[in-house]
Amino acid sequence: MSLQVFNSYTRQKELFTPITPGHVGMYVCGPTVSGESHLGHARPYITFDVVFRYLQHLGYKVRYVRNITDAGHFEEEGREAQDKISDKAILEKLEPMELVTKYTNLFRWAMKQFNNQEPSIEPTATGHIVEQIEMIKKIIAEGYAYEKNGSVYFDVKKYAEHYPYGKLSGRVLDDMLETTRDLDGQDEKNNKVDFALWKAAPPKHIMRWQSPWGEGFPGWHIECSAMSSKYLGEQFDIHGGGMDLQFPHHESEIAQSNICHHGKLMARYWIHNNMITINGKKMGKSYNNVIKLTELFDGSHPLLDQAYHPMTIRFAILQTHYRSTFDFSNEALQAAEKGLKRLWEAYEVLQKLEPSNEEAADKALDEKVVKLADEFKLFMDDDLNTAKVLANMFELVPTINSIKDKHIAADALSSKTVAYLKEQMYLFIEVIFGLQPISASANNHILNGVVELLINIRKQAKQNKDYQTSDKIRNELLGLGVQLKDEKDGSVSWTI
């Protein structure tokens, strides 16, 4: 069986056939680094890390592009022209790029805790302003955008006369025209559904660039269209992200790229992971259930009963099919922690098995084990079903444990089957799923706790004007390779 994936654009499973044989181009929308990464960021980046790993295992040379949104990201629905980066920079009394660097570093650190591989290219929106302006100029020249008071808007209604706007998300334009809310600053648009390609910067706006339409900053959607086409071409294989990005972000990306590339759909396969809920509720500030990844790792959020290792989170996410909703709860995470420990213990037992008597092998058991291991690839080829692969692994655990406990003879499996099972378990557990034993990541949590403790002691020393102790902690940590940085907002960040 060859790999099949569910294409959100066609709403059906399709055989995966890359545009260029042996090569795959994949773009995944990255984080907006206006704040610390939270639980909602864990699912897409773990999901697409596994996609990246599996495609490489299948022999493809993969260019994985995941951007950093470090400019703009104002919202068309809700707070017109709200620039998250600028707003947060003012709040934290930091330069915008200082704030961006702080949260980009935190995001990358969290991805390493999850054992995610680094993308092939990680472009930033601010590094591609020229490409975005050129793309906007082309859309205007094609007659699908217009300028008003220094801002440029995409003409959705005109676009819909020639192309299907709403096909990805399943939305109907007439319905959108009727239901779109009246928002401040929308009067200059031709239609409520038109979205901004470029926004004129208000006088106090910090992040601004020169353009043919005056000083301003780019729209959210144009950033990804410009970066994906620069590094992957006019059409590439996979565009990924969370389901919440289907509209308006991905729908608008498609529209922009269609115009710039003369009707060529920017990505052949659109893959979207489903959302995370917390104790049955959508994650949101109004519910006070937005859990930052650092809070998840140290257990400091009031909704958490304990700290959870990054591998527990990774394992929990992979136990649910990526297109299904996953409900995070203390019970679910604690079950995942026990499950990963149980699986890893059996995996370590398996590595030590060395059957010596081929004639003693139980043929029926042998065949059952081989069948369960054979299905690992079948399940992954069927729309990347990590949950079914793990279910099969747990079916193998009792057999392995029974051999360990001598309830089944050590030679019940043939040496050929044991070698095959070792190979497949290693391949899927470590190489494709990127799992590690919880004990291996425990050292990270101990280090985090020790450094934070020393930071708090140093902070108290400074308050007591005991600068000798404060400097000693900073200098001795530096000597050990841990660099402290005092932020303008009074917090302390650290890097190794």
Side-chain angles (χ1 to χ4, degrees), residues 5-28:
V5 295
F6 184 86
N7 189 345
S8 301
Y9 193 77
T10 60
R11 291 174 178 73
Q12 61 185 12
K13 284 184 191 176
E14 297 178 359
L15 182 68
F16 178 71
T17 308
I19 296 166
T20 303
H23 295 258
V24 174
M26 180 170 75
Y27 186 89
V28 175

Side-chain angles (χ1 to χ4, degrees), residues 201-299:
K204 293 183 179 179
H205 199 88
I206 302 173
M207 300 182 80
R208 57 207 300 139
W209 291 265
Q210 285 290 347
S211 80
W213 317 286
E215 285 194 357
F217 54 99
W220 175 24
H221 317 310
I222 198 70
E223 295 174 353
C224 286
S225 288
M227 288 184 279
S228 63
S229 62
K230 179 178 176 69
Y231 296 108
L232 297 174
E234 293 184 357
Q235 187 179 52
F236 51 93
D237 299 296
I238 297 171
H239 195 311
M243 282 186 178
D244 58 323
L245 297 181
Q246 286 185 349
F247 185 86
H249 188 45
H250 291 168
E251 201 76 73
S252 300
E253 279 188 68
I254 290 170
Q256 294 163 162
S257 298
N258 269 352
I259 297 307
C260 289
H261 305 140
H262 304 291
K264 188 180 288 185
L265 186 63
M266 65 185 298
R268 293 178 66 178
Y269 303 92
W270 291 79
I271 301 178
H272 292 93
N273 63 275
N274 210 324
M275 297 296 96
I276 286 173
T277 56
I278 299 178
N279 297 318
K281 292 182 179 178
K282 181 180 177 182
M283 190 166 62
K285 290 181 181 177
S286 59
Y287 294 117
N288 194 30
N289 65 356
V290 177
I291 304 174
K292 297 173 184 176
L293 292 178
T294 52
E295 293 174 328
L296 198 61
F297 298 159
D298 65 20

Side-chain angles (χ1 to χ4, degrees), residues 82-353:
Q82 180 209 15
D83 185 322
K84 293 182 178 180
I85 304 291
S86 283
D87 285 0
K88 195 68 182 292
I90 292 168
L91 188 67
E92 293 198 20
K93 297 180 181 178
L94 299 172
E95 284 294 325
M97 284 299 108
E98 191 176 5
L99 176 123
V100 160
T101 301
K102 172 183 174 180
Y103 288 122
T104 299
N105 288 341
L106 262 175
F107 168 74
R108 288 172 176 159
W109 171 83
M111 294 304 103
K112 285 182 181 178
Q113 306 313 299
F114 289 132
N115 196 30
N116 284 352
Q117 293 185 340
E118 292 180 353
S120 314
I121 301 174
E122 195 172 41
T124 63
T126 55
H128 296 78
I129 299 295
V130 171
E131 288 85 353
Q132 293 167 63
I133 289 173
E134 289 304 309
M135 204 168 196
I136 294 168
K137 285 161 67 175
K138 191 170 183 180
I139 296 170
I140 292 173
E142 293 289 335
Y144 287 89
Y146 55 92
E147 185 266 338
K148 288 281 185 75
N149 303 321
S151 295
V152 181
Y153 297 97
F154 189 92
D155 193 332
V156 173
K157 202 168 182 182
K158 182 174 180 181
Y159 173 83
E161 293 172 2
H162 304 94
Y163 301 98
Y165 187 80
K167 180 174 171 59
L168 176 70
S169 59
R171 301 201 178 201
V172 178
L173 182 59
D174 288 343
D175 293 342
M176 285 189 269
L177 287 167
E178 290 296 323
T179 59
T180 301
R181 291 176 293 162
D182 289 318
L183 301 170
D184 293 338
Q186 294 246 46
D187 293 344
E188 63 186 18
K189 294 182 183 182
N190 289 350
N191 291 289
K192 294 177 184 178
V193 292
D194 294 348
F195 57 86
L197 300 171
W198 187 265
K199 284 295 291 185
K204 293 183 179 179
H205 199 88
I206 302 173
M207 300 182 80
R208 57 207 300 139
W209 291 265
Q210 285 290 347
S211 80
W213 317 286
E215 285 194 357
F217 54 99
W220 175 24
H221 317 310
I222 198 70
E223 295 174 353
C224 286
S225 288
M227 288 184 279
S228 63
S229 62
K230 179 178 176 69
Y231 296 108
L232 297 174
E234 293 184 357
Q235 187 179 52
F236 51 93
D237 299 296
I238 297 171
H239 195 311
M243 282 186 178
D244 58 323
L245 297 181
Q246 286 185 349
F247 185 86
H249 188 45
H250 291 168
E251 201 76 73
S252 300
E253 279 188 68
I254 290 170
Q256 294 163 162
S257 298
N258 269 352
I259 297 307
C260 289
H261 305 140
H262 304 291
K264 188 180 288 185
L265 186 63
M266 65 185 298
R268 293 178 66 178
Y269 303 92
W270 291 79
I271 301 178
H272 292 93
N273 63 275
N274 210 324
M275 297 296 96
I276 286 173
T277 56
I278 299 178
N279 297 318
K281 292 182 179 178
K282 181 180 177 182
M283 190 166 62
K285 290 181 181 177
S286 59
Y287 294 117
N288 194 30
N289 65 356
V290 177
I291 304 174
K292 297 173 184 176
L293 292 178
T294 52
E295 293 174 328
L296 198 61
F297 298 159
D298 65 20
S300 60
H301 195 281
L303 289 178
L304 300 175
D305 290 345
Q306 64 178 69
Y308 294 101
H309 294 303
M311 282 303 110
T312 298
I313 310 303
R314 188 178 183 98
F315 184 73
I317 285 170
L318 298 183
Q319 278 191 298
T320 304
H321 189 271
Y322 76 91
R323 286 194 292 114
S324 299
T325 303
F326 182 71
D327 187 45
F328 264 67
S329 65
N330 284 288
E331 292 77 17
L333 293 178
Q334 287 161 17
E337 186 172 74
K338 290 177 184 175
L340 178 55
K341 285 179 179 177
R342 183 166 175 256
L343 177 63
W344 205 274
E345 286 167 4
Y347 175 53
E348 289 181 336
V349 169
L350 173 66
Q351 302 307 313
K352 297 172 185 175
L353 285 186

Side-chain angles (χ1 to χ4, degrees), residues 398-414:
T399 298
I400 297 168
N401 286 341
S402 292
I403 293 174
K404 178 193 73 171
D405 296 335
K406 297 185 170 52
H407 297 312
I408 296 177
D411 297 319
L413 298 177
S414 67

Side-chain angles (χ1 to χ4, degrees), residues 475-496:
N475 294 335
E476 294 201 9
L477 281 174
L478 186 61
L480 294 169
V482 179
Q483 184 173 2
L484 301 183
K485 182 181 178 184
D486 294 309
E487 306 289 355
K488 290 181 180 178
D489 63 353
S491 65
V492 179
S493 61
W494 59 276
T495 56
I496 295 177

Side-chain angles (χ1 to χ4, degrees), residues 302-459:
L303 289 178
L304 300 175
D305 290 345
Q306 64 178 69
Y308 294 101
H309 294 303
M311 282 303 110
T312 298
I313 310 303
R314 188 178 183 98
F315 184 73
I317 285 170
L318 298 183
Q319 278 191 298
T320 304
H321 189 271
Y322 76 91
R323 286 194 292 114
S324 299
T325 303
F326 182 71
D327 187 45
F328 264 67
S329 65
N330 284 288
E331 292 77 17
L333 293 178
Q334 287 161 17
E337 186 172 74
K338 290 177 184 175
L340 178 55
K341 285 179 179 177
R342 183 166 175 256
L343 177 63
W344 205 274
E345 286 167 4
Y347 175 53
E348 289 181 336
V349 169
L350 173 66
Q351 302 307 313
K352 297 172 185 175
L353 285 186
E354 296 293 343
S356 57
N357 185 357
E358 293 296 308
E359 294 180 2
D362 183 329
K363 187 178 179 182
L365 184 61
D366 231 41
E367 289 176 352
K368 177 187 175 183
V369 167
V370 169
K371 180 178 181 295
L372 288 168
D374 279 345
E375 287 176 340
F376 293 173
K377 185 177 186 304
L378 291 176
F379 293 147
M380 283 299 287
D381 282 343
D382 185 13
D383 195 27
L384 307 158
N385 201 325
T386 59
K388 283 192 173 183
V389 175
L390 288 172
N392 267 29
M393 288 182 182
F394 278 110
E395 280 199 56
L396 290 161
V397 167
T399 298
I400 297 168
N401 286 341
S402 292
I403 293 174
K404 178 193 73 171
D405 296 335
K406 297 185 170 52
H407 297 312
I408 296 177
D411 297 319
L413 298 177
S414 67
S415 57
K416 182 179 178 181
T417 294
V418 169
Y420 177 61
L421 186 56
K422 285 180 181 180
E423 173 193 279
Q424 293 301 299
M425 291 286 273
Y426 166 74
L427 175 63
F428 281 86
I429 289 176
E430 296 198 53
V431 178
I432 296 171
F433 288 1
L435 293 169
Q436 297 173 331
I438 286 176
S439 57
S441 59
N443 292 333
N444 291 331
H445 299 285
I446 293 169
L447 174 62
N448 293 344
V450 170
V451 173
E452 291 300 328
L453 176 63
L454 288 170
I455 286 172
N456 288 332
I457 293 172
R458 177 173 174 263
K459 186 176 180 181

